[in-house]
Amino acid sequence: MQRSTTFTTSRRGFLRGSLAAGAAALPLAGTASAAPADAAMPDSIRALQPVAARVVPIGNDERAARIARAQQLMAAHGIDVVFIGAGSSLTYFTGMHWWNSERLTGVLVPRKGEPVYVTPEFERGRTLEQIKFGNDVRGWQEDEDPYALVAGVVREMGHATGTVGMEETVPFFRAKGIGDALPQARVVDAWPVTAGCRRVKSTAELALMRLANQNTLAVYEAVWKALKPGMTEQDISALIAMAYARTGLKGSADVNIGKYTASPHGSDKPQHLTEGTPIIFDGGCRADGYTSDITRTVVLGQPTDEMRRVFDIVLQAQTAALKSARPGVEMGAVDAAARKVIADAGYGPDYRYFSHRLGHGIGLDMHEWDYLVRGNRHLLEPGMTFSDEPGIYIPERFGVRLEDILYVTDDGAALMTPQSPSIDAPFA
């Protein structure tokens, strides 16, 4: 079986390094400060409505239930205590937002009992401000060994010779430091616990993701209506920033134009918009930390017949993947459903023109468990969320990708946003 894990490196600019960041306000390209002056605001962007007031944050009861679920999984997998360092899992379980630096901050979750927080002593006040439940904070001074402090807490919990799980994105140097300080303990990967909790979304999580995705789609449509010949990718990114500022949710998108749409993640080379050229928007925003991720392929003016044909094939592939997804289906089979449509239409075999997997898991991180990719035999479960993003990329000419977020229901799957109906009218 293929084991999935979150990514800590950047994929497309904003939100791609969210595990490593873990801060309350993540660094985002395209914030309000980057937007052009209000006087230059296009009417379509001015018409956007604020949505930030509709964000319903995750409550303390849900976070406490997550800890309880983690403890159940710890018992099932023979793990006595789990260390969770700075990053999105710390946010998920405790509500804390913390930058992952050389100074150790994190939480120790025992199989039974209350969590214990470990942080630099000078950060005690800020730690207490962020804690949603529990009040056991252990501080270490700058000249002290934080790993010795962690080891002491684990001994207090009675697990000095037990099994200590490391949340899978904890840096190696930190996991080694804790392991060295607990020489009689067995240090293991806590992936079955963290992924076991995070990969299935609650009703509240799905609502936040749906709001973020719907907001991204509204931003894209407003920007599409404001496109003009001669714009650069930076000009378009600035319009996207302006649009997000109107809605009150921070976000951005990568923009690629013309032949650069033939690369799935585009190019840094200068690009200019002309009549009849395709444009790909790809990015998202956050609602209480939960991300959207939508891609739309549009054209300024009239697309060619070939662009229309390729668009329609990609749309059929996205639909085939959606129809194939339901509880109990292997994740690789969803990729296969989309890939078959593209290959049967003459854009195969395998990865020749559809050069990447169909999709990735998404939640607090833009890329997280699991992956819709060939060979992944993990089974879909209700509440799982993925990108459904097939594409066809014709080198040096153009590419088409469509991406919406798929969530698994009790008896099938659905998308959080309407599909793009056509390249001539890309927004429903």
Side-chain angles (χ1 to χ4, degrees):
M1 292 178 64
Q2 174 178 328
R3 204 198 83 166
S4 303
T5 185
T6 51
F7 275 55
T8 58
T9 53
S10 176
R11 181 178 74 123
R12 305 176 197 154
F14 136 89
L15 283 177
R16 276 43 173 186
S18 54
L19 268 174
L26 294 178
L28 298 175
T31 59
S33 61
D38 186 73
M41 187 177 293
D43 290 343
S44 59
I45 293 177
R46 194 183 303 278
L48 288 169
Q49 298 299 308
V51 301
R54 293 164 52 194
V55 173
V56 180
I58 298 297
N60 293 346
D61 288 346
E62 180 157 336
R63 294 197 197 279
R66 293 170 177 179
I67 293 285
R69 171 61 177 158
Q71 290 172 323
Q72 291 174 350
L73 291 171
M74 290 163 66
H77 291 278
I79 299 176
D80 297 304
V81 58
V82 169
F83 174 78
I84 302 170
S88 55
S89 284
L90 185 67
T91 302
Y92 177 86
F93 286 107
T94 72
M96 291 180 64
H97 299 270
W98 213 270
W99 184 263
N100 196 359
S101 74
E102 77 282 4
R103 291 187 174 102
L104 182 147
T105 288
V107 65
L108 287 157
V109 180
R111 188 189 297 191
K112 293 182 180 180
E114 296 299 314
V116 176
Y117 302 86
V118 177
T119 194
E121 183 60 37
F122 75 87
E123 297 280 26
R124 177 181 290 272
R126 192 161 70 97
T127 302
L128 286 167
E129 282 181 357
Q130 293 200 34
I131 288 174
K132 306 299 183 185
F133 49 86
N135 56 13
D136 191 345
V137 176
R138 311 292 179 90
W140 56 276
Q141 298 290 0
E142 292 279 73
D143 62 344
E144 294 178 335
D145 181 359
Y147 306 119
L149 178 57
V150 170
V153 174
V154 172
R155 291 188 185 99
E156 285 181 27
M157 292 175 171
H159 301 309
T161 61
T163 300
V164 179
M166 293 290 156
E167 192 267 336
E168 66 276 11
T169 65
V170 171
F172 174 78
F173 77 90
R174 187 151 290 148
K176 183 179 184 300
I178 294 173
D180 289 348
L182 290 164
Q184 294 179 297
R186 177 172 171 254
V187 177
V188 300
D189 188 349
W191 173 81
V193 176
T194 51
C197 292
R198 288 181 56 185
R199 65 180 4 149
V200 174
K201 272 59 179 182
S202 68
T203 300
E205 290 177 292
L206 292 174
L208 288 165
M209 292 177 66
R210 185 176 293 107
L211 177 62
N213 279 280
Q214 291 173 348
N215 188 56
T216 293
L217 191 61
V219 163
Y220 285 1
E221 182 173 8
V223 170
W224 172 65
K225 291 176 179 178
L227 295 178
K228 295 180 180 179
M231 285 183 171
T232 66
E233 70 274 28
Q234 289 87 0
D235 294 331
I236 300 171
S237 293
L239 289 176
I240 291 169
M242 178 191 287
Y244 274 124
R246 289 288 293 175
T247 71
L249 298 184
K250 290 183 178 180
S252 72
D254 282 356
V255 177
N256 284 282
I257 300 170
K259 69 178 183 179
Y260 300 108
T261 61
S263 174
H265 288 164
S267 172
D268 292 331
K269 292 182 179 180
Q271 302 167 41
H272 292 82
L273 186 58
T274 59
E275 290 281 347
T277 56
I279 310 105
I280 286 183
F281 307 143
D282 178 11
C285 65
R286 287 186 181 272
D288 193 35
Y290 286 84
T291 82
S292 58
D293 192 6
I294 291 180
T295 302
R296 285 294 180 265
T297 303
V298 302
V299 172
L300 179 65
Q302 291 296 312
T304 66
D305 288 343
E306 184 182 20
M307 290 176 188
R308 291 189 179 98
R309 178 175 179 272
V310 170
F311 183 100
D312 291 344
I313 294 166
V314 173
L315 178 60
Q316 291 166 24
Q318 188 189 50
T319 302
L322 175 65
K323 289 181 177 179
S324 73
R326 62 185 181 278
V329 169
E330 290 185 359
M331 295 177 187
V334 184
D335 177 281
R339 202 165 298 278
K340 184 178 186 303
V341 171
I342 290 173
D344 287 352
Y347 291 93
D350 297 328
Y351 295 93
R352 183 176 181 186
Y353 292 102
F354 178 15
S355 54
H356 53 79
R357 67 193 172 207
L358 174 69
H360 54 82
I362 186 170
L364 280 173
D365 294 304
M366 189 168 275
H367 284 201
E368 60 182 45
W369 321 272
D370 284 278
Y371 302 99
L372 303 179
V373 63
R374 178 185 296 164
N376 190 347
R377 302 192 66 183
H378 291 158
L379 304 182
L380 297 176
E381 300 176 41
M384 287 183 168
T385 51
F386 304 90
S387 64
D388 179 357
E389 51 176 315
I392 293 175
Y393 310 94
I394 305 173
E396 295 300 317
R397 298 184 61 206
F398 70 92
V400 172
R401 182 169 66 255
L402 298 174
E403 178 182 17
D404 295 278
I405 299 306
L406 174 155
Y407 63 99
V408 184
T409 65
D410 289 337
D411 56 1
L415 298 178
M416 292 188 173
T417 42
Q419 290 175 281
S420 184
S422 72
I423 200 166
D424 290 282
F427 298 92

